[in-house]
Protein backbone atom coordinates (compact mmCIF):
# COMPACT_ATOMS: atom_id res chain seq x y z
CA UNK A 1 0.00 0.00 0.00
CA UNK A 2 2.81 2.45 0.83
CA UNK A 3 4.34 2.33 -2.71
CA UNK A 4 0.92 2.88 -4.31
CA UNK A 5 0.02 5.88 -2.15
CA UNK A 6 3.53 7.32 -2.37
CA UNK A 7 3.50 7.07 -6.17
CA UNK A 8 0.06 8.71 -6.33
CA UNK A 9 1.19 11.58 -4.11
CA UNK A 10 4.33 12.12 -6.20
CA UNK A 11 2.32 12.23 -9.42
CA UNK A 12 -0.19 14.62 -7.90
CA UNK A 13 2.56 16.88 -6.54
CA UNK A 14 4.22 16.96 -9.96
CA UNK A 15 0.94 17.71 -11.68
CA UNK A 16 -0.01 20.55 -9.34
CA UNK A 17 3.47 22.07 -9.58
CA UNK A 18 3.19 22.28 -13.37
CA UNK A 19 -0.36 23.65 -13.44
CA UNK A 20 -0.88 26.84 -15.43
CA UNK A 21 -4.58 27.59 -14.81
CA UNK A 22 -4.88 30.27 -17.51
CA UNK A 23 -3.92 27.77 -20.22
CA UNK A 24 -7.12 25.75 -19.66
CA UNK A 25 -10.47 26.40 -21.27
CA UNK A 26 -13.34 26.87 -18.82
CA UNK A 27 -14.81 23.40 -19.47
CA UNK A 28 -11.45 21.70 -19.02
CA UNK A 29 -10.78 23.70 -15.84
CA UNK A 30 -14.13 22.56 -14.44
CA UNK A 31 -13.39 18.91 -15.26
CA UNK A 32 -9.98 19.13 -13.66
CA UNK A 33 -11.45 20.77 -10.58
CA UNK A 34 -13.87 17.87 -10.19
CA UNK A 35 -10.98 15.41 -10.40
CA UNK A 36 -9.08 17.32 -7.70
CA UNK A 37 -12.23 17.31 -5.56
CA UNK A 38 -12.49 13.53 -5.93
CA UNK A 39 -8.83 13.16 -4.99
CA UNK A 40 -9.47 15.35 -1.96
CA UNK A 41 -12.39 13.16 -0.86
CA UNK A 42 -10.34 10.00 -1.28
CA UNK A 43 -7.43 11.49 0.63
CA UNK A 44 -9.79 12.56 3.44
CA UNK A 45 -11.13 9.01 3.67
CA UNK A 46 -7.62 7.56 3.89
CA UNK A 47 -6.60 10.17 6.44
CA UNK A 48 -9.58 9.31 8.65
CA UNK A 49 -8.89 5.58 8.48
CA UNK A 50 -5.22 5.99 9.43
CA UNK A 51 -6.03 8.58 12.11
CA UNK A 52 -8.36 6.10 13.74
CA UNK A 53 -5.61 3.46 13.70
CA UNK A 54 -3.13 5.87 15.32
CA UNK A 55 -5.74 6.61 17.98
CA UNK A 56 -6.22 2.88 18.67
CA UNK A 57 -2.50 2.19 19.00
CA UNK A 58 -1.87 5.18 21.33
CA UNK A 59 1.16 6.23 19.30
CA UNK A 60 0.18 9.85 19.92
CA UNK A 61 1.10 9.49 23.61
CA UNK A 62 4.76 8.93 22.78
CA UNK A 63 5.41 12.58 21.93
CA UNK A 64 3.45 13.93 24.88
CA UNK A 65 0.26 14.93 23.06
CA UNK A 66 -2.77 15.31 25.27
CA UNK A 67 -5.03 13.44 22.84
CA UNK A 68 -5.12 11.74 19.46
CA UNK A 69 -6.89 14.84 18.14
CA UNK A 70 -4.00 17.04 19.28
CA UNK A 71 -1.53 14.75 17.49
CA UNK A 72 -3.67 14.71 14.33
CA UNK A 73 -3.99 18.50 14.30
CA UNK A 74 -0.22 18.92 14.66
CA UNK A 75 0.47 16.31 11.97
CA UNK A 76 -2.03 17.59 9.39
CA UNK A 77 -1.82 21.31 10.12
CA UNK A 78 -5.52 21.50 11.01
CA UNK A 79 -7.30 22.79 14.09
CA UNK A 80 -7.92 20.51 17.07
CA UNK A 81 -11.66 20.97 16.56
CA UNK A 82 -11.43 19.69 12.98
CA UNK A 83 -9.29 16.76 14.14
CA UNK A 84 -11.86 15.86 16.79
CA UNK A 85 -14.53 15.78 14.08
CA UNK A 86 -12.40 13.54 11.85
CA UNK A 87 -11.82 10.99 14.60
CA UNK A 88 -15.44 11.10 15.74
CA UNK A 89 -16.63 10.36 12.20
CA UNK A 90 -14.07 7.55 11.79
CA UNK A 91 -15.35 5.85 14.96
CA UNK A 92 -18.96 6.09 13.85
CA UNK A 93 -18.23 4.69 10.40
CA UNK A 94 -17.04 1.43 11.96
CA UNK A 95 -20.72 0.61 12.58
CA UNK A 96 -22.02 2.11 9.30
CA UNK A 97 -20.59 0.00 6.46
CA UNK A 98 -22.66 1.62 3.70
CA UNK A 99 -21.53 5.12 4.64
CA UNK A 100 -17.94 3.91 5.09
CA UNK A 101 -18.02 2.39 1.59
CA UNK A 102 -19.39 5.62 0.11
CA UNK A 103 -16.58 7.60 1.69
CA UNK A 104 -13.90 5.13 0.56
CA UNK A 105 -15.29 5.35 -3.01
CA UNK A 106 -14.96 9.12 -2.97
CA UNK A 107 -18.72 9.70 -3.12
CA UNK A 108 -18.82 11.60 0.19
CA UNK A 109 -16.82 14.61 1.23
CA UNK A 110 -15.50 14.82 4.78
CA UNK A 111 -18.34 17.22 5.69
CA UNK A 112 -20.99 14.95 4.15
CA UNK A 113 -19.60 11.87 5.87
CA UNK A 114 -19.67 13.70 9.20
CA UNK A 115 -23.34 14.67 8.86
CA UNK A 116 -24.50 11.26 7.58
CA UNK A 117 -22.53 9.33 10.22
CA UNK A 118 -23.79 11.48 13.11
CA UNK A 119 -27.43 11.12 12.08
CA UNK A 120 -27.24 7.45 11.06
CA UNK A 121 -25.64 6.61 14.40
CA UNK A 122 -28.68 8.10 16.13
CA UNK A 123 -31.11 6.32 13.76
CA UNK A 124 -29.55 3.62 11.52
CA UNK A 125 -32.83 3.33 9.59
CA UNK A 126 -32.18 6.75 8.05
CA UNK A 127 -28.77 5.85 6.61
CA UNK A 128 -29.98 4.96 3.09
CA UNK A 129 -32.10 8.10 2.78
CA UNK A 130 -29.24 10.28 4.01
CA UNK A 131 -26.81 8.75 1.51
CA UNK A 132 -29.30 9.34 -1.28
CA UNK A 133 -29.75 12.95 -0.17
CA UNK A 134 -25.99 13.48 -0.08
CA UNK A 135 -25.85 12.76 -3.84
CA UNK A 136 -28.17 15.64 -4.75
CA UNK A 137 -28.45 18.09 -1.85
CA UNK A 138 -25.93 20.75 -0.82
CA UNK A 139 -24.20 20.28 2.53
CA UNK A 140 -26.40 22.88 4.25
CA UNK A 141 -29.58 21.03 3.26
CA UNK A 142 -28.04 17.68 4.24
CA UNK A 143 -27.10 19.14 7.62
CA UNK A 144 -30.69 20.27 8.26
CA UNK A 145 -31.98 16.82 7.28
CA UNK A 146 -29.44 15.16 9.60
CA UNK A 147 -30.42 17.47 12.46
CA UNK A 148 -34.07 16.46 12.06
CA UNK A 149 -33.09 12.80 12.14
CA UNK A 150 -31.08 13.25 15.34
CA UNK A 151 -33.83 15.30 16.98
CA UNK A 152 -36.52 12.72 16.27
CA UNK A 153 -34.33 9.80 17.36
CA UNK A 154 -33.28 11.17 20.73
CA UNK A 155 -35.23 11.52 23.94
CA UNK A 156 -35.82 15.26 24.37
CA UNK A 157 -34.67 15.39 27.98
CA UNK A 158 -31.61 13.25 27.24
CA UNK A 159 -30.74 15.41 24.25
CA UNK A 160 -31.02 18.53 26.39
CA UNK A 161 -28.73 17.01 29.02
CA UNK A 162 -26.24 16.03 26.35
CA UNK A 163 -26.08 19.55 24.94
CA UNK A 164 -25.68 20.98 28.43
CA UNK A 165 -22.83 18.59 29.26
CA UNK A 166 -21.00 19.60 26.06
CA UNK A 167 -21.49 23.34 26.59
CA UNK A 168 -18.44 25.42 25.80
CA UNK A 169 -17.22 28.88 24.94
CA UNK A 170 -14.12 29.22 22.78
CA UNK A 171 -12.33 32.17 21.24
CA UNK A 172 -9.50 32.65 18.78
CA UNK A 173 -8.04 35.12 16.28
CA UNK A 174 -8.44 34.64 12.54
CA UNK A 175 -5.89 35.45 9.83
CA UNK A 176 -6.91 39.14 9.83
CA UNK A 177 -6.39 39.42 13.58
CA UNK A 178 -10.13 39.62 14.25
CA UNK A 179 -11.42 38.25 17.54
CA UNK A 180 -13.75 35.28 16.98
CA UNK A 181 -15.99 33.46 19.42
CA UNK A 182 -17.90 30.19 19.33
CA UNK A 183 -20.59 29.37 21.91
CA UNK A 184 -22.21 25.97 22.35
CA UNK A 185 -25.04 25.80 24.88
CA UNK A 186 -28.69 24.82 25.28
CA UNK A 187 -31.49 26.57 23.42
CA UNK A 188 -32.93 27.97 26.63
CA UNK A 189 -29.56 29.42 27.64
CA UNK A 190 -29.28 30.94 24.19
CA UNK A 191 -32.75 32.43 24.50
CA UNK A 192 -31.77 33.99 27.84
CA UNK A 193 -28.65 35.53 26.29
CA UNK A 194 -30.56 36.94 23.33
CA UNK A 195 -33.35 38.29 25.53
CA UNK A 196 -30.84 40.17 27.67
CA UNK A 197 -28.97 41.34 24.59
CA UNK A 198 -32.04 42.76 22.83
CA UNK A 199 -32.31 46.02 24.83
CA UNK A 200 -28.67 46.74 24.00
CA UNK A 201 -29.31 45.95 20.32
CA UNK A 202 -32.24 48.38 20.33
CA UNK A 203 -30.12 51.07 21.96
CA UNK A 204 -27.23 50.60 19.52
CA UNK A 205 -29.66 50.69 16.57
CA UNK A 206 -31.31 53.89 17.82
CA UNK A 207 -27.98 55.62 18.40
CA UNK A 208 -26.75 54.59 14.94
CA UNK A 209 -29.88 55.91 13.24
CA UNK A 210 -29.64 59.19 15.19
CA UNK A 211 -26.05 59.57 13.98
CA UNK A 212 -27.04 58.84 10.40
CA UNK A 213 -25.22 55.48 10.27
CA UNK A 214 -26.70 52.44 8.57
CA UNK A 215 -25.06 49.08 9.12
CA UNK A 216 -26.13 45.45 9.23
CA UNK A 217 -28.07 43.91 12.09
CA UNK A 218 -25.09 41.62 12.73
CA UNK A 219 -22.81 44.63 13.19
CA UNK A 220 -25.25 46.19 15.67
CA UNK A 221 -25.47 42.88 17.56
CA UNK A 222 -21.67 42.78 17.87
CA UNK A 223 -21.66 46.31 19.31
CA UNK A 224 -24.50 45.34 21.66
CA UNK A 225 -22.55 42.36 23.01
CA UNK A 226 -19.62 44.64 23.87
CA UNK A 227 -22.03 47.08 25.55
CA UNK A 228 -23.52 44.22 27.56
CA UNK A 229 -20.06 43.12 28.72
CA UNK A 230 -19.12 46.67 29.67
CA UNK A 231 -22.35 47.08 31.62
CA UNK A 232 -21.60 43.86 33.51
CA UNK A 233 -18.39 45.34 34.92
CA UNK A 234 -19.54 48.93 35.23
CA UNK A 235 -20.02 50.99 38.39
CA UNK A 236 -22.57 49.51 40.76
CA UNK A 237 -22.42 46.04 39.24
CA UNK A 238 -21.92 43.21 41.72
CA UNK A 239 -18.81 41.20 40.95
CA UNK A 240 -18.35 37.55 41.78
CA UNK A 241 -16.92 38.40 45.21
CA UNK A 242 -19.93 40.54 46.17
CA UNK A 243 -18.08 43.81 45.66
CA UNK A 244 -18.92 46.39 43.05
CA UNK A 245 -16.66 47.27 40.17
CA UNK A 246 -14.78 45.32 37.53
CA UNK A 247 -14.36 41.56 37.93
CA UNK A 248 -11.01 41.33 36.21
CA UNK A 249 -8.22 43.47 34.87
CA UNK A 250 -6.96 43.97 31.34
CA UNK A 251 -3.56 42.45 30.66
CA UNK A 252 -1.54 44.23 27.98
CA UNK A 253 1.88 43.45 26.52
CA UNK A 254 3.45 46.53 24.94
CA UNK A 255 6.99 47.63 24.20
CA UNK A 256 7.99 50.68 26.18
CA UNK A 257 9.29 52.48 23.11
CA UNK A 258 6.04 51.87 21.24
CA UNK A 259 4.00 53.14 24.17
CA UNK A 260 5.99 56.39 24.22
CA UNK A 261 6.00 56.75 20.43
CA UNK A 262 2.28 56.01 19.96
CA UNK A 263 2.61 53.20 17.44
CA UNK A 264 4.49 49.94 16.97
CA UNK A 265 7.34 49.42 14.56
CA UNK A 266 8.83 46.21 13.16
CA UNK A 267 9.68 43.77 15.96
CA UNK A 268 7.52 45.50 18.58
CA UNK A 269 4.24 44.34 20.07
CA UNK A 270 1.15 45.84 21.61
CA UNK A 271 -1.37 43.12 22.35
CA UNK A 272 -3.70 41.51 24.85
CA UNK A 273 -2.33 38.00 25.54
CA UNK A 274 -4.65 35.35 24.16
CA UNK A 275 -6.68 37.93 22.22
CA UNK A 276 -4.33 39.65 19.80
CA UNK A 277 -2.85 43.00 18.72
CA UNK A 278 -4.47 46.28 19.78
CA UNK A 279 -3.61 49.88 18.80
CA UNK A 280 -1.09 51.61 21.05
CA UNK A 281 -3.65 54.39 21.42
CA UNK A 282 -6.00 51.89 23.05
CA UNK A 283 -3.31 50.78 25.50
CA UNK A 284 -2.65 54.43 26.36
CA UNK A 285 -6.34 55.05 26.97
CA UNK A 286 -6.64 51.95 29.15
CA UNK A 287 -3.58 53.00 31.12
CA UNK A 288 -5.34 56.28 31.88
CA UNK A 289 -8.85 55.15 32.78
CA UNK A 290 -8.97 51.35 32.92
CA UNK A 291 -7.59 48.72 35.26
CA UNK A 292 -4.43 47.15 33.79
CA UNK A 293 -3.34 43.79 35.13
CA UNK A 294 0.12 43.92 33.56
CA UNK A 295 1.85 46.55 31.47
CA UNK A 296 5.05 44.80 30.38
CA UNK A 297 7.80 47.15 29.20
CA UNK A 298 11.50 46.87 28.54
CA UNK A 299 12.28 49.13 31.48
CA UNK A 300 12.59 46.39 34.14
CA UNK A 301 15.56 44.00 34.20
CA UNK A 302 13.49 41.00 35.21
CA UNK A 303 16.00 38.51 33.81
CA UNK A 304 18.29 39.14 36.76
CA UNK A 305 15.56 38.74 39.37
CA UNK A 306 16.01 35.71 41.64
CA UNK A 307 14.88 35.03 45.20
CA UNK A 308 14.93 32.24 47.78
CA UNK A 309 11.21 31.64 47.86
CA UNK A 310 9.09 29.37 45.71
CA UNK A 311 6.52 32.03 44.83
CA UNK A 312 7.10 33.78 41.51
CA UNK A 313 7.47 37.54 41.89
CA UNK A 314 5.24 40.01 40.08
CA UNK A 315 8.16 41.09 37.88
CA UNK A 316 8.96 37.48 36.96
CA UNK A 317 5.31 36.72 36.27
CA UNK A 318 5.03 39.73 33.97
CA UNK A 319 8.20 38.67 32.17
CA UNK A 320 6.91 35.11 31.75
CA UNK A 321 3.68 36.40 30.18
CA UNK A 322 5.80 38.41 27.77
CA UNK A 323 8.27 35.61 27.02
CA UNK A 324 5.92 32.60 26.99
CA UNK A 325 2.57 33.71 25.49
CA UNK A 326 1.71 30.05 24.79
CA UNK A 327 2.72 26.69 26.24
CA UNK A 328 6.47 26.35 25.62
CA UNK A 329 6.23 22.74 24.36
CA UNK A 330 6.92 22.81 20.60
CA UNK A 331 3.72 22.38 18.61
CA UNK A 332 1.40 23.27 21.51
CA UNK A 333 -0.60 26.43 20.86
CA UNK A 334 -2.58 26.57 24.11
CA UNK A 335 -2.58 30.17 25.36
CA UNK A 336 -5.16 30.11 28.15
CA UNK A 337 -4.99 28.55 31.60
CA UNK A 338 -1.19 28.24 31.49
CA UNK A 339 0.66 27.15 34.64
CA UNK A 340 4.13 28.26 35.75
CA UNK A 341 6.60 25.39 36.07
CA UNK A 342 9.91 25.25 37.95
CA UNK A 343 12.06 23.45 35.38
CA UNK A 344 14.41 21.87 37.93
CA UNK A 345 11.97 21.64 40.81
CA UNK A 346 12.13 24.21 43.60
CA UNK A 347 12.79 21.48 46.19
CA UNK A 348 16.15 20.83 44.49
CA UNK A 349 17.37 24.37 43.81
CA UNK A 350 15.63 26.39 46.54
CA UNK A 351 15.73 29.39 44.20
CA UNK A 352 13.31 30.86 41.69
CA UNK A 353 15.04 32.36 38.65
CA UNK A 354 13.36 33.47 35.46
CA UNK A 355 15.58 31.39 33.17
CA UNK A 356 14.46 28.21 34.98
CA UNK A 357 10.77 29.00 34.81
CA UNK A 358 8.39 28.23 31.94
CA UNK A 359 4.69 28.39 31.26
CA UNK A 360 3.02 25.08 30.39
CA UNK A 361 -0.53 24.07 29.58
CA UNK A 362 -2.24 21.91 32.18
CA UNK A 363 -1.65 18.70 30.20
CA UNK A 364 2.08 19.16 29.59
CA UNK A 365 2.58 20.35 33.17
CA UNK A 366 0.92 17.12 34.32
CA UNK A 367 3.17 15.00 32.08
CA UNK A 368 6.29 16.71 33.46
CA UNK A 369 5.20 16.56 37.09
CA UNK A 370 3.73 13.07 37.28
CA UNK A 371 4.72 11.01 34.22
CA UNK A 372 8.50 11.27 33.97
CA UNK A 373 8.68 13.77 31.11
CA UNK A 374 11.18 16.63 31.37
CA UNK A 375 11.87 19.98 29.73
CA UNK A 376 15.31 20.35 28.19
CA UNK A 377 16.85 23.43 26.61
CA UNK A 378 16.31 27.07 27.40
CA UNK A 379 13.83 29.87 26.81
CA UNK A 380 12.85 29.94 23.14
CA UNK A 381 14.27 26.47 22.53
CA UNK A 382 12.53 24.10 24.95
CA UNK A 383 11.81 20.48 24.04
CA UNK A 384 9.69 17.94 25.89
CA UNK A 385 11.64 14.71 26.43
CA UNK A 386 9.69 11.54 27.23
CA UNK A 387 10.86 9.08 29.88
CA UNK A 388 13.26 6.31 28.86
CA UNK A 389 10.37 3.87 28.61
CA UNK A 390 7.19 5.84 27.80
CA UNK A 391 3.98 3.94 28.60
CA UNK A 392 2.23 2.37 25.63
CA UNK A 393 -1.35 2.40 26.84
CA UNK A 394 -1.84 4.96 29.55
CA UNK A 395 -0.13 7.89 31.21
CA UNK A 396 -2.37 8.05 34.22
CA UNK A 397 -5.75 9.55 34.95
CA UNK A 398 -4.78 13.02 33.71
CA UNK A 399 -4.71 16.34 35.51
CA UNK A 400 -7.54 17.13 37.90
CA UNK A 401 -10.05 19.87 37.31
CA UNK A 402 -10.88 21.40 33.91
CA UNK A 403 -9.47 19.69 30.85
CA UNK A 404 -6.26 20.76 29.11
CA UNK A 405 -6.53 24.14 27.48
CA UNK A 406 -9.79 24.96 29.26
CA UNK A 407 -10.90 28.52 28.65
CA UNK A 408 -9.96 30.85 31.48
CA UNK A 409 -12.65 33.50 31.39
CA UNK A 410 -10.97 35.47 34.14
CA UNK A 411 -7.85 36.34 32.17
CA UNK A 412 -9.17 39.35 30.30
CA UNK A 413 -12.19 41.56 30.72
CA UNK A 414 -13.43 44.57 28.82
CA UNK A 415 -12.60 47.95 30.31
CA UNK A 416 -15.23 49.33 32.67
CA UNK A 417 -17.61 51.86 31.24
Amino acid sequence: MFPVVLAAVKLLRRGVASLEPRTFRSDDAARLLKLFAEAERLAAAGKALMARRVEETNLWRRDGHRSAASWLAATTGSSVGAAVGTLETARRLEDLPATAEAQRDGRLSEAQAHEVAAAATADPRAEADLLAAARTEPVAALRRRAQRVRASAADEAARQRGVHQRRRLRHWNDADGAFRMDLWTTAEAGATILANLKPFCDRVFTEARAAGRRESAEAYAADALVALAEAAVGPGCQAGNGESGPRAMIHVRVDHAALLRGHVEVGEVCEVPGIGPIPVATARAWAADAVLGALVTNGVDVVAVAHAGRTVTAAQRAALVERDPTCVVPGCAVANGLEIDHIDGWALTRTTTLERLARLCRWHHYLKTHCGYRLDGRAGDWRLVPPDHPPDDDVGPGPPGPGPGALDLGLVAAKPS
Side-chain angles (χ1 to χ4, degrees):
M1 177 56 72
F2 275 104
V4 173
V5 176
L6 185 60
V9 170
K10 286 183 177 178
L11 285 173
L12 186 59
R13 184 184 296 117
R14 191 182 309 154
V16 172
S18 63
L19 268 181
E20 293 293 344
R22 295 186 182 279
T23 64
F24 290 88
R25 296 181 305 176
S26 58
D27 289 347
D28 291 338
R31 289 172 54 200
L32 197 55
L33 184 149
K34 291 177 181 178
L35 287 173
F36 280 129
E38 182 178 2
E40 183 179 34
R41 293 193 295 270
L42 290 169
K47 179 185 70 174
L49 290 167
M50 294 302 99
R52 175 63 178 137
R53 179 56 182 160
V54 169
E55 181 182 41
E56 289 176 331
T57 59
N58 289 322
L59 177 142
W60 51 272
R61 297 183 187 273
R62 184 183 62 192
D63 299 325
H65 285 276
R66 66 176 57 83
S67 65
S70 173
W71 177 90
L72 181 60
T75 302
T76 61
S78 64
S79 68
V80 174
V84 168
T86 296
L87 289 168
E88 187 177 65
T89 299
R91 292 186 215 105
R92 287 168 171 166
L93 290 181
E94 292 175 351
D95 298 319
L96 299 168
T99 305
E101 181 182 359
Q103 189 188 36
R104 283 172 176 259
D105 288 346
R107 287 180 279 134
L108 291 180
S109 68
E110 193 168 9
Q112 289 173 318
H114 176 79
E115 297 298 337
V116 173
T121 297
D123 185 0
R125 297 170 300 177
E127 183 179 16
D129 290 340
L130 289 165
L131 288 173
R135 289 196 294 268
T136 58
E137 295 181 359
V139 173
L142 178 64
R143 182 176 295 116
R144 288 192 293 270
R145 182 187 292 271
Q147 288 172 343
R148 290 194 293 269
V149 170
R150 293 198 299 271
S152 62
D155 173 77
E156 185 64 28
R159 187 162 65 92
Q160 182 81 348
R161 287 194 300 271
V163 172
H164 176 73
Q165 290 169 355
R166 297 193 301 275
R167 67 194 183 281
R168 63 178 183 266
L169 176 63
R170 297 174 178 169
H171 67 78
W172 68 97
N173 290 86
D174 66 14
D176 294 327
F179 175 80
R180 303 281 298 277
M181 181 182 290
D182 174 55
L183 172 66
W184 173 297
T185 188
T186 61
E188 70 176 72
T192 300
I193 294 171
L194 293 179
N196 283 278
L197 187 63
K198 187 178 186 306
F200 292 89
C201 288
D202 293 342
R203 190 184 78 187
V204 169
F205 175 81
T206 302
E207 292 173 350
R209 282 292 189 266
R213 291 186 290 107
R214 292 182 178 273
E215 297 180 85
S216 67
E218 289 84 358
Y220 294 142
D223 293 341
L225 183 60
V226 175
L228 176 63
E230 290 179 337
V233 295
C237 176
Q238 292 296 313
N241 57 9
E243 300 176 357
S244 62
R247 282 178 240 191
M249 294 180 291
I250 305 170
H251 296 255
V252 175
R253 298 170 60 223
V254 57
D255 280 271
H256 185 251
L259 188 66
L260 295 178
R261 187 187 312 113
H263 65 272
V264 296
E265 294 187 349
V266 176
E268 296 177 339
V269 298
C270 181
E271 63 182 23
V272 178
I275 301 296
I278 62 172
V280 174
T282 300
R284 282 179 162 184
W286 285 354
D289 65 6
V291 182
L292 287 180
L295 184 60
V296 179
T297 75
N298 61 1
V300 179
D301 184 17
V302 293
V303 176
V305 174
H307 64 103
R310 177 179 176 85
T311 304
V312 177
T313 66
Q316 288 174 328
R317 187 178 298 273
L320 281 170
V321 171
E322 166 69 20
R323 193 194 71 190
D324 303 337
T326 63
C327 175
V328 301
V329 174
C332 183
V334 173
N336 293 317
L338 299 182
E339 300 173 347
I340 296 175
D341 178 72
H342 291 71
I343 303 300
D344 306 307
W346 181 82
L348 296 176
T349 64
R350 294 291 171 174
T351 59
T352 300
T353 60
L354 181 63
E355 60 268 20
R356 302 310 294 167
L357 294 173
R359 297 213 301 167
L360 298 172
C361 68
R362 184 182 294 267
W363 174 250
H364 286 126
H365 198 188
Y366 170 76
L367 289 183
K368 181 179 177 296
T369 305
H370 300 289
C371 301
Y373 287 72
R374 71 178 191 274
L375 271 181
D376 278 358
R378 59 184 184 275
D381 188 29
W382 296 115
R383 57 188 180 277
L384 187 69
V385 180
D388 294 335
H389 300 286
D392 294 327
D393 300 320
D394 195 8
V395 293
L407 181 65
D408 182 357
L409 295 177
L411 284 177
V412 179
K415 72 180 185 70
S417 57

